[in-house]
Amino acid sequence: MIRELTCVACPLGCAITVDYNDTEVLSVTGNTCKRGDAYARTEIVNPTRSLATTVKVNGGVHPVVPVRSNKPIPKKMMFECMKTINSVSVDAPVEIGQVIIQDILGTGADIIAANYD
Amino acid sequence: MINYDLVVIGGGPAGMAAALKAKECGVGSILILERAETLGGILEQCIHTGFGLHYFGEELSGPEYAERFIKELKTTDIQVKCDTMALDISENNVVTAVNKTDGLLKIQAKAVILAMGCRERPRGALEMAGTRASGIMTAGTAQKYVNIDGYMPGKEVVILGSGDIGLIMARRMTLEGAKVKVVCEIMPYSGGLTRNIVQCLDDFDIPLRLSTTVIETHGKDRLEGVTIAKVDEKLQPIKGTEEYIPCDTLMLSVGLIPENELTKNVGIEMDRVTNGAVVDEMRQTDHKGIFACGNVLHVHDLVDYVTLESQLAGQGAAEYILNKQPKETVYVSTTTGTGVRYLVPQRVNIKNPNDVKLYFRVGRIFKNAKVVLECDGKVISSKKKVKLAPGEMENVIIPADVLASMNESGVICVRVEE
Ligand SMILES: Cc1cc2nc3c(=O)[nH]c(=O)nc-3n(C[C@H](O)[C@H](O)[C@H](O)COP(=O)(O)OP(=O)(O)OC[C@H]3O[C@@H](n4cnc5c(N)ncnc54)[C@H](O)[C@@H]3O)c2cc1C
Ligand code: SF4
């Protein structure tokens, strides 16, 4: 089977063609770099995405601080992860890179602060 | 009057990269003026990831990308004045600025770098009937509400315009529990990056309707709904295609306009297509010692390219200040051939000893086309492209030896061949 994908691993957005059957990916073409190859393979087997959102801050400069997953999480778990993230808050001061939630919902990804509070 | 070798106006990614590069090239005193409370520019509210993969080889959020440069600035003696607005630049490069602590500032600069970024096109620029109900805002304003102020501007959203900010906000609002009903785009193609259509709309089954616009807004105090309609080739609404969509929020993502009031006041030559200054390969304008880079020069979709372009401007300003510019200047204009909407830089000094990268955008979507660079009628390069779209900036390089072989009557042309 052939599937046309747009690589979302970086903003270049290469047009990738994947040839696959029920058991394996046969070929990946059109990618500019290795990340594109990896992206196409996971997109066929188990699509993942980076998650970026905000978390409430207690006593900070701003009411919320941006956070993101430090690695992509399964696409189908996005909303569950959002629920978990929206149920926590963090005390100021927040350091950039600080882990807010470790191994969120067993995905192996940490939710880390993407700025100071 | 205060004196600085270099004044950089705007402390976004463009201004910071330009200042750092100028420092590295040996410029003595440098001052960055930033209107906002903090450095970082628009990146501070762009909390999604996708920044820096090309420049840092890492996928960062906007604030993290900015932080790399803010941190580096702190290791130098570059001065920064935040909460400071530049008001005017004089004929002989005196910058007037104002802030609460210093009042009115007059700064004599040897060189000035313009890095003011751009602002979003407001509703006034659109033809839309209806009252001024609340709930209508630009996508960037909504982005600031959600990501910085932690406040959700609405629950049921229609987005007009498929620019990247609109697409990013479609996903952001959906993640926070709002219902994004539709994204309408008046053009027959999207203005945003393909990757953003995939991961912001397709992932969440948000429909994108092309050749469609909002013709009327409804509601007295708060927005209650919008009427959308298909448009013909002349972008005029087609009778009978109207459709009412209930919503409490309308976000506009209908383009960015470079903030060039300062630039125009100095009388710098402007490009009518980019709405930015006309510059040479080091990003120098026709006013000696004034350079421009980043979104104020032309709208970029990738901050990585903003950084690279701004480093050129920083280097150019350093060469100007330190008297290291090429001894001779012979300008050849770059010409847009078939399919190419604009080119930056608009002119190239053929006495410059380095390769020159030309950035451009195409005027419509092309499939399986070739990007052809022609100098003096000779094809220098012809590169196959599976897809070219107006939303994605492309580039092509003129090798130094080709420049060296040209003279003042030379012709540099980039075109698309199908
Ligand atoms: C919503 C959005 C999403 C984006 N997504 C991505 C992405 O996923 N990946 C990516 O690589 N790129 C992305 N970009 C593009 C990238 O962020 C921009 O191209 C980049 O920020 C432009 O940098 P700049 O420094 O030219 O402008 P800006 O960041 O706008 O900075 C300009 C600065 O100048 C200041 N200023 C203006 N006028 C004055 C004055 N008169 N006096 C003093 N200061 C002044 C402003 O306050 C501002 O801080 C996105 C952009 C937006 C808007
Ligand atoms: S293949 Fe590589 S260069 Fe192309 S979009 Fe994917 S990550 Fe970017």
Side-chain angles (χ1 to χ4, degrees):
Chain A
M1 284 169 278
I2 301 273
R3 214 167 119 194
E4 308 274 343
L5 297 172
T6 300
C7 179
V8 300
C10 93
L12 272 194
C14 297
I16 301 186
T17 309
V18 196
D19 188 3
Y20 64 105
N21 60 27
D22 290 339
T23 48
E24 59 178 345
V25 172
L26 303 171
S27 73
V28 176
T29 48
N31 52 310
T32 304
C33 73
K34 279 199 302 231
R35 286 172 57 106
D37 185 274
Y39 168 79
R41 285 169 201 277
T42 39
E43 190 67 10
I44 297 293
V45 185
N46 174 26
T48 59
R49 296 287 184 266
S50 309
L51 179 60
T53 178
T54 51
V55 157
K56 274 188 228 91
V57 182
N58 309 314
V61 181
H62 298 288
V64 292
V65 66
V67 298
R68 67 173 171 95
S69 59
N70 66 349
K71 52 168 95 95
I73 57 171
K75 200 168 122 181
K76 55 177 190 284
M77 290 185 70
M78 289 275 230
F79 283 99
E80 266 177 88
C81 288
M82 278 301 291
K83 241 189 228 159
T84 309
I85 296 168
N86 279 344
S87 69
V88 304
S89 63
V90 49
D91 294 330
V94 182
E95 286 284 316
I96 197 164
Q98 179 182 331
V99 176
I100 310 287
I101 303 172
Q102 212 163 20
D103 185 16
I104 185 163
L105 299 176
T107 55
D110 295 339
I111 298 299
I112 61 169
N115 204 353
Y116 299 92
D117 61 275
Chain B
M1 183 88 73
I2 336 169
N3 284 285
Y4 275 91
D5 288 331
L6 175 63
V7 171
V8 179
I9 305 178
M16 290 195 287
L20 283 166
K21 187 68 186 185
K23 184 91 263 177
E24 187 192 312
C25 293
V27 174
S29 57
I30 304 178
L31 173 66
I32 301 179
L33 302 175
E34 169 56 56
R35 183 173 61 184
E37 256 169 73
T38 54
L39 291 170
I42 194 75
L43 290 179
E44 294 299 302
Q45 66 183 62
C46 298
I47 66 162
H48 59 282
T49 58
F51 299 84
L53 195 76
H54 288 273
Y55 190 71
F56 288 118
E58 270 180 80
E59 201 181 6
L60 303 169
S61 65
E64 289 169 298
Y65 188 90
E67 176 59 21
R68 300 268 165 116
F69 293 89
I70 296 173
K71 224 180 190 163
E72 207 183 322
L73 275 176
K74 285 186 184 147
T75 67
T76 69
D77 60 0
I78 296 171
Q79 304 284 304
V80 179
K81 278 187 188 291
C82 285
D83 280 317
T84 306
M85 168 104 175
L87 301 173
D88 179 63
I89 306 166
S90 75
E91 189 58 33
N92 51 351
N93 297 349
V94 175
V95 178
T96 307
V98 66
N99 69 25
K100 284 205 189 104
T101 37
D102 306 300
L104 207 62
L105 286 160
K106 293 250 179 215
I107 311 148
Q108 173 71 61
K110 287 183 185 150
V112 176
I113 295 179
L114 307 172
M116 291 92 76
C118 47
R119 65 163 173 268
E120 292 177 283
R121 199 160 290 194
R123 176 185 179 174
L126 299 172
E127 284 176 45
M128 206 193 298
T131 48
R132 303 244 141 194
S134 72
I136 306 173
M137 66 198 79
T138 65
T141 303
Q143 188 177 42
K144 182 171 176 293
Y145 283 153
V146 182
N147 293 342
I148 300 204
D149 306 329
Y151 154 80
M152 277 290 281
K155 292 199 184 77
E156 297 200 302
V157 186
V158 168
I159 298 177
L160 174 59
S162 60
D164 287 311
I165 317 179
L167 300 177
I168 297 280
M169 281 314 288
R171 173 178 60 186
R172 186 76 188 103
M173 295 297 286
T174 308
L175 282 174
E176 291 292 355
K179 171 87 188 146
V180 178
K181 296 197 156 170
V182 63
V183 176
C184 297
E185 169 59 59
I186 193 167
M187 300 305 284
Y189 52 80
S190 161
L193 296 171
T194 316
R195 82 185 296 253
N196 285 338
I197 301 203
V198 172
Q199 54 178 0
C200 298
L201 301 186
D202 298 353
D203 272 5
F204 302 98
D205 298 319
I206 299 169
L208 169 62
R209 296 233 207 139
L210 300 173
S211 300
T212 302
T213 191
V214 171
I215 54 169
E216 195 175 353
T217 59
H218 308 270
K220 237 171 70 204
D221 300 324
R222 177 78 199 196
L223 186 69
E224 284 163 14
V226 297
T227 304
I228 65 172
K230 291 228 120 218
V231 297
D232 60 21
E233 291 99 71
K234 293 200 186 101
L235 306 184
Q236 293 307 308
I238 303 172
K239 272 218 156 46
T241 64
E242 298 87 358
E243 191 181 328
Y244 179 78
I245 301 189
C247 62
D248 60 15
T249 307
L250 173 65
M251 288 183 191
L252 308 174
S253 181
V254 289
L256 298 163
I257 320 169
E259 278 211 66
N260 271 310
E261 283 69 24
L262 281 176
T263 323
K264 287 180 196 155
N265 286 344
V266 204
I268 286 170
E269 185 188 354
M270 303 291 292
D271 181 320
R272 280 176 35 219
V273 182
T274 57
N275 285 314
V278 169
V279 291
D280 67 14
E281 74 285 354
M282 298 312 282
R283 305 301 186 264
Q284 182 167 223
T285 66
D286 69 343
H287 186 117
K288 259 191 165 321
I290 299 189
F291 296 74
C293 55
N295 275 357
V296 79
L297 186 58
H298 56 133
V299 177
H300 294 64
D301 13 68
L302 295 188
V303 72
D304 305 62
Y305 289 155
V306 169
T307 301
L308 293 175
E309 172 171 280
S310 306
Q311 289 172 338
L312 270 181
Q315 187 190 335
E319 285 171 0
Y320 175 84
I321 293 164
L322 304 169
N323 249 324
K324 286 185 182 161
Q325 283 182 317
K327 294 276 163 311
E328 249 186 296
T329 304
V330 177
Y331 280 134
V332 169
S333 301
T334 55
T335 356
T336 53
T338 320
V340 175
R341 206 162 68 84
Y342 75 73
L343 279 161
V344 171
Q346 291 85 347
R347 54 172 160 252
V348 175
N349 178 9
I350 54 172
K351 299 294 171 191
N352 153 69
N354 303 311
D355 291 356
V356 170
K357 196 183 256 186
L358 300 178
Y359 289 98
F360 67 95
R361 279 182 199 274
V362 293
R364 62 177 171 89
I365 288 185
F366 292 90
K367 288 214 162 123
N368 297 316
K370 275 190 242 157
V371 170
V372 181
L373 168 67
E374 231 175 57
C375 293
D376 290 344
K378 267 206 309 270
V379 173
I380 304 301
S381 65
S382 169
K383 214 172 152 199
K384 274 211 189 101
K385 286 275 175 182
V386 182
K387 192 179 160 205
L388 291 162
E392 328 232 347
M393 195 161 73
E394 301 284 341
N395 64 67
V396 45
I397 293 171
I398 319 176
D401 58 319
V402 171
L403 286 177
S405 73
M406 299 183 78
N407 61 36
E408 70 276 3
S409 56
V411 181
I412 299 171
C413 177
V414 179
R415 62 186 159 81
V416 181
E417 217 174 80
E418 278 182 285

